[in-house]
Amino acid sequence: MQPGKEPDPITNMRNIIDPTDPDRRWLVDYGNGQKPDATPAEAALRFARLNDPDSARDIAPYMTRLDALAEQVHDELAHRLARGSDDSDISNNTNDHETMSIADMLAEATIDDVVSTLQSVIPGKNGFQGDAENYDDMENADLMKVMDRKRGLPVALAMLYIHVARRCDIAITGIDFPGHFLLRVQVNGQRRMIDPFHGCITLRPAELRELLKSFSGLDAELEPRHYRESSDNAILLRLQNNLKVRALRAGELAYATRIIEHSLLIAPDHEGLWHQLGALYARLDQDHKALGAFEQFVGLCKDPLHRTRIEAVIEELRDRLGLADSADDVAPAKAKTIAADPHDGANHAPEDNAPIPLFPI
């Protein structure tokens, strides 16, 4: 193959972020912290549309349904607080609470009020539950299909709770608990762990210990590291990873590649994603793209041994492609990486960005 016949591999990598595609551009901005009012659910809906190249699904109706869930939670909480009032005129109390600001309403609420309201609205009145029967179905990690089917994985269902809670100013955090994604709700200094997969049930220390032992072995005991908080980006990457794992199991390499490309829109400095992408491009005989992805990885990787191994792969790819091996060509790849503002940390991937394992879900 003659040098110069193919476009520069870094140009190939930049083409992952197509500025003409509104969903891609939105996700890039989201990853850069430029969508402060957006919830991860909106990002997940855009991922769902991008991941399916034949999809023309409109996001707007799903956003409307998400906001309607939030309104139901607001109204249910107002009614619940009114019922708890000493005044016997519940209708007047309900009206009074409905006209209160959400901050004033939450100031009156207990953690039991809020958790019971979430249970009543999301799995209760709207029927959202985990899909235990078809757990490995890829539709369980596509938020649009999860909302249509009202069944999904823990991390997908968690998107609904996070969206609703954020719209109602309820403090909620994703918890990367071993083997099962959980949520922590906080109200007036009180905390409660809930399971979005099993109808928003409350998990107290005894249940958490049992869950941990079922995944990590009978000798495992609860430790602070088991309550590791997940950033919004980490939650989204976990959702995408579930799709990628299922695609690989099904032998759908092109689909798995597309999932990783889209994940990089919000986490362009995630070395593990670049490594996985390079490996998949190579398996698909897309050597020029594999070269670009591995160069991105080398520019980000801090492990000298791993970097040296991939540099050998890069050299082999360059030889195969007939690319010149001049001093300019082998300059540190870091200079070629897609720029990422180090100050945009709010929505970037976690600091631990080693190659992603097959996350428990």
Side-chain angles (χ1 to χ4, degrees):
M1 180 176 185
Q2 297 299 317
K5 283 287 186 180
E6 294 288 337
D8 178 78
I10 301 305
T11 300
N12 270 332
M13 293 304 98
R14 288 202 179 102
N15 286 340
I16 290 174
I17 302 173
D18 179 2
T20 65
D21 184 300
D23 286 331
R24 292 173 186 263
R25 189 71 259 166
W26 189 97
L27 286 165
V28 171
D29 291 342
Y30 178 86
N32 287 332
Q34 297 174 20
K35 299 289 184 181
D37 296 329
T39 67
E42 183 172 358
L45 290 172
R46 292 179 184 274
F47 272 132
R49 185 160 62 183
L50 274 179
N51 291 338
D52 182 356
D54 299 323
S55 174
R57 293 176 292 178
D58 187 2
I59 288 174
Y62 293 92
M63 290 300 300
T64 298
R65 289 165 60 186
L66 285 169
D67 289 339
L69 280 176
E71 290 178 7
Q72 290 178 47
V73 166
H74 176 279
D75 294 345
E76 172 79 13
L77 183 58
H79 189 67
R80 188 176 296 273
L81 293 175
R83 289 203 310 268
S85 172
D86 291 335
D87 195 324
S88 60
D89 191 345
I90 293 179
S91 61
N92 286 338
N93 285 329
T94 301
N95 290 335
D96 289 343
H97 281 88
E98 287 179 347
T99 59
M100 291 172 64
S101 70
I102 189 66
D104 290 339
M105 189 186 301
L106 287 174
E108 290 188 14
T110 66
I111 189 70
D112 288 330
D113 291 328
V114 171
V115 171
S116 295
T117 300
L118 292 173
Q119 291 170 338
S120 172
V121 172
I122 299 178
K125 295 177 179 177
N126 290 277
F128 287 101
Q129 296 282 351
D131 189 352
E133 294 182 3
N134 303 289
Y135 195 81
D136 288 327
D137 191 326
M138 280 195 276
E139 291 189 349
N140 286 327
D142 178 315
L143 189 57
M144 288 186 177
K145 293 177 180 177
V146 167
M147 292 181 67
D148 290 338
R149 298 166 58 244
K150 299 192 175 183
R151 294 292 181 272
L153 295 175
V155 68
L157 293 167
M159 297 288 180
L160 308 179
Y161 288 85
I162 292 171
H163 182 90
V164 166
R166 298 264 178 91
R167 289 290 185 261
C168 293
D169 290 335
I170 298 168
I172 193 166
T173 307
I175 300 297
D176 188 18
F177 196 80
H180 198 70
F181 192 78
L182 300 174
L183 293 167
R184 185 178 65 212
V185 180
Q186 181 168 324
V187 178
N188 295 325
Q190 299 175 305
R191 291 180 170 184
R192 193 67 53 80
M193 297 283 283
I194 61 173
D195 181 353
F197 189 78
H198 294 106
C200 190
I201 61 171
T202 293
L203 296 176
R204 299 185 186 275
E207 289 85 13
L208 291 169
R209 188 175 296 109
E210 183 179 349
L211 178 60
L212 174 66
K213 290 178 182 294
S214 70
F215 181 76
S216 301
L218 295 178
D219 293 334
E221 293 296 339
L222 290 173
E223 300 176 24
R225 62 187 176 91
H226 296 140
Y227 300 94
R228 185 176 63 183
E229 297 182 2
S230 291
S231 68
D232 288 352
N233 261 20
I235 298 171
L236 286 163
L237 291 178
R238 183 172 181 143
L239 184 66
Q240 287 284 95
N241 190 70
N242 276 292
L243 282 170
K244 180 205 71 180
V245 169
R246 284 158 174 76
L248 290 174
R249 287 173 181 166
E252 298 181 22
L253 301 188
Y255 184 53
T257 301
R258 192 160 63 246
I259 298 298
I260 298 173
E261 289 175 345
H262 297 156
S263 298
L264 282 163
L265 296 171
I266 64 169
D269 53 356
H270 197 301
E271 66 185 66
L273 291 174
W274 286 112
H275 182 275
Q276 293 176 25
L277 187 61
L280 280 171
Y281 280 148
R283 290 185 64 183
L284 291 168
D285 295 323
Q286 299 179 20
D287 288 350
H288 223 86
K289 288 185 176 183
L291 173 59
F294 282 135
E295 287 182 337
Q296 295 290 317
F297 169 78
V298 167
L300 293 165
C301 180
K302 296 178 177 61
D303 182 336
L305 292 178
H306 202 180
R307 190 167 59 242
T308 299
R309 287 196 295 269
I310 299 305
E311 284 172 344
V313 174
I314 288 174
E315 183 176 351
E316 180 182 341
L317 286 168
R318 295 184 70 84
D319 288 344
R320 187 185 304 170
L321 291 166
L323 297 176
D325 195 20
S326 67
D328 289 340
D329 290 325
V330 295
K334 184 173 288 187
K336 297 182 178 180
T337 58
I338 296 175
D341 187 342
H343 300 292
D344 290 337
N347 269 330
H348 278 175
E351 291 182 3
D352 179 12
N353 61 356
I356 302 178
L358 301 186
F359 280 130
I361 47 185

